[in-house]
Amino acid sequence: MLENTFNWLLEQQLLISLLILSLLVLERYSLKWLNANFVYKLWLMLPITLLLANMPEHFKPLPNNVISTMLISPKQGFSTTISISWVLIYSAIFSILALTAIVVHLRFINQLRLTNLDDKVLIDAHPDMQLLQSSAVSTPMVIGLFSNQLVLPTAYTQHIDSTALTLIIEHEKVHIKRADNLFNALALMATLLIWFNPLAWLGYMSFRRLQELSCDEKVLTNKTTQQRILYSKALINCAANSRAGLIAYSHYGDKNTMLQRLNQIKHTGNSSMIAKGALLIFAAGMISSFAIAKQPEAISKVQAISPIMRIEPIYPIQAAEQGISGSVVLKYDISPAGKTQNVSVVNAKPERVFDKEAKKALMQWQYKPSNSGFKDVLVQLDFAIDSNYKSEELIEKVTVAAK
């Protein structure tokens, strides 16, 4: 299972890298014509494209005219391979990173030492929010993934203009309404899963910056020049005291991020509908291209599959003792590197007797590397207790003659 997941992640890296690189370019060069909220939403392209590119072909016929078979008997031996796997190294590093993120998060929460806000006027003005205060933070912050709470620095309301405070709280309310902390946690987890790709980390930081920029745009919609100035001053004060770390909670960013936010405030409301429309058409075309590119190979190409190692399944002891013979038809994919993936049982007779050992062995098979791999390959494994066993064809073959 881990090996299949690791191989699948490796296969998706070109697609993921191209998408992240495109979004990084958009953030860097297009925000003058495309507002930040629009570019932020374009991050949905990433999961949508991955979903379309890897959608199962349930409605397509199986290439059963090229099914191969293997005969297994109790007398045949079995082989195993022991080696240092990249999967083990990957899993160890991912576990360390994930554990670090959890420890940093828990340590941060413990250091907050939260108390109820003592500003009754502010509490009455925002009855829909749970307002807390902490001496351990120097900027407002929304905490919690599912049940959000707004944390303000102790005595924060005494050192900020009331109008600026209203705008800052409005900013945090946008985070709460959009469940940004939850999406940040999911984005962080996805980044940790592909920790070996540097573009993933750059993409995560871009995602967080665009999130803040889009919040700014929503807050400043239809606001006066004076309100924009007060909001900008409040942001500068927050940036000077911001603590950014490996946590999912929204933060105000470093000084470079703040400079980008202040520059973007100047262009709020200047987006081009033509540019947005053109980009959406381009994005739709790119997603379609990736989806089409991931279609299975033609049946004629499956015939070119070249196995270099086939591990014979172990004959189940209980089946051998009871004299049970049978067959299992398996469907699987072959990666460009020649590894088997997505192994599943299509049919078996008798059911659930030989399935486990058949899948276990097939996941260790090796094939000759190819340019793009193969999809939906079939094999029938016949478990025969003696040489007189005659296997059945468990996949129906239909020949259509031209009229």
Side-chain angles (χ1 to χ4, degrees), residues 41-87:
K41 290 179 180 178
L42 286 179
W43 274 92
L44 287 172
M45 286 175 50
L46 190 54
I48 290 174
T49 304
L50 284 174
L51 179 63
L52 291 177
N54 294 277
M55 186 174 293
E57 300 295 323
H58 292 302
F59 302 103
K60 295 194 174 184
L62 296 175
N64 50 63
N65 59 323
V66 292
I67 186 170
S68 59
T69 62
M70 172 181 281
L71 181 65
I72 300 98
S73 68
K75 296 180 181 179
Q76 289 178 309
F78 62 93
S79 58
T80 59
T81 56
I82 302 176
S83 61
I84 298 177
S85 173
W86 285 108
V87 178

Side-chain angles (χ1 to χ4, degrees), residues 196-210:
F196 49 84
N197 188 340
L199 283 175
W201 295 97
L202 294 176
Y204 175 71
M205 291 185 287
S206 175
F207 175 82
R208 297 294 297 269
R209 288 193 300 267
L210 285 168

Side-chain angles (χ1 to χ4, degrees), residues 61-321:
L62 296 175
N64 50 63
N65 59 323
V66 292
I67 186 170
S68 59
T69 62
M70 172 181 281
L71 181 65
I72 300 98
S73 68
K75 296 180 181 179
Q76 289 178 309
F78 62 93
S79 58
T80 59
T81 56
I82 302 176
S83 61
I84 298 177
S85 173
W86 285 108
V87 178
L88 181 61
I89 298 174
Y90 162 81
S91 302
I93 296 178
F94 167 75
S95 300
I96 292 172
L97 291 174
L99 182 61
T100 300
I102 294 173
V103 170
V104 169
H105 169 81
L106 294 177
R107 183 178 297 174
F108 175 78
I109 293 298
N110 290 334
Q111 291 175 348
L112 289 180
R113 297 179 182 177
L114 300 170
T115 59
N116 292 324
L117 189 68
D118 54 10
D119 192 323
K120 189 175 185 305
V121 176
L122 190 60
I123 294 175
D124 293 339
H126 302 280
D128 57 330
M129 298 176 61
Q130 185 176 3
L131 300 174
L132 304 172
Q133 63 181 359
S134 170
S135 58
V137 298
S138 54
T139 62
M141 174 178 289
V142 174
I143 64 171
L145 299 181
F146 300 100
S147 179
N148 298 132
Q149 301 168 315
L150 176 58
V151 180
L152 298 176
T154 303
Y156 183 72
T157 58
Q158 301 174 14
H159 302 93
I160 186 173
D161 180 87
S162 59
T163 302
L165 176 60
T166 300
L167 294 173
I168 290 295
I169 292 180
E170 187 177 342
H171 175 100
E172 301 300 338
K173 280 187 173 182
V174 173
H175 283 306
I176 294 175
K177 184 178 180 180
R178 299 191 312 192
D180 281 347
N181 283 352
L182 178 59
F183 285 107
N184 290 342
L186 294 175
L188 178 59
M189 182 58 64
T191 304
L192 296 182
L193 281 171
I194 51 175
W195 55 263
F196 49 84
N197 188 340
L199 283 175
W201 295 97
L202 294 176
Y204 175 71
M205 291 185 287
S206 175
F207 175 82
R208 297 294 297 269
R209 288 193 300 267
L210 285 168
Q211 185 179 91
E212 296 300 327
L213 291 171
S214 65
C215 275
D216 294 341
E217 285 183 352
K218 286 184 172 294
V219 170
L220 296 178
T221 301
N222 301 322
K223 294 298 191 294
T224 65
T225 302
Q226 182 62 27
Q227 288 175 313
R228 288 169 180 261
I229 293 173
L230 288 173
Y231 183 75
S232 299
K233 290 181 178 179
L235 291 184
I236 293 173
N237 180 63
C238 289
N241 301 287
S242 178
R243 292 176 55 189
L246 194 64
I247 57 175
Y249 297 155
S250 301
H251 55 74
Y252 284 85
D254 55 21
K255 294 181 180 179
N256 291 330
T257 300
M258 188 54 58
L259 181 61
Q260 183 184 17
R261 294 176 67 177
L262 294 175
N263 287 330
Q264 187 60 26
I265 288 175
K266 301 176 184 177
H267 303 289
T268 301
N270 296 330
S271 62
S272 168
M273 294 302 296
I274 296 177
K276 288 181 180 179
L279 185 60
L280 284 176
I281 293 174
F282 173 77
M286 186 170 65
I287 290 174
S288 300
S289 298
F290 281 127
I292 293 173
K294 296 290 286 186
Q295 295 298 324
E297 296 287 333
I299 292 177
S300 60
K301 292 185 179 181
V302 179
Q303 298 173 351
I305 295 175
S306 301
I308 58 177
M309 182 182 73
R310 285 183 173 178
I311 304 299
E312 295 178 352
I314 299 174
Y315 207 106
I317 296 177
Q318 187 174 4
E321 292 175 346

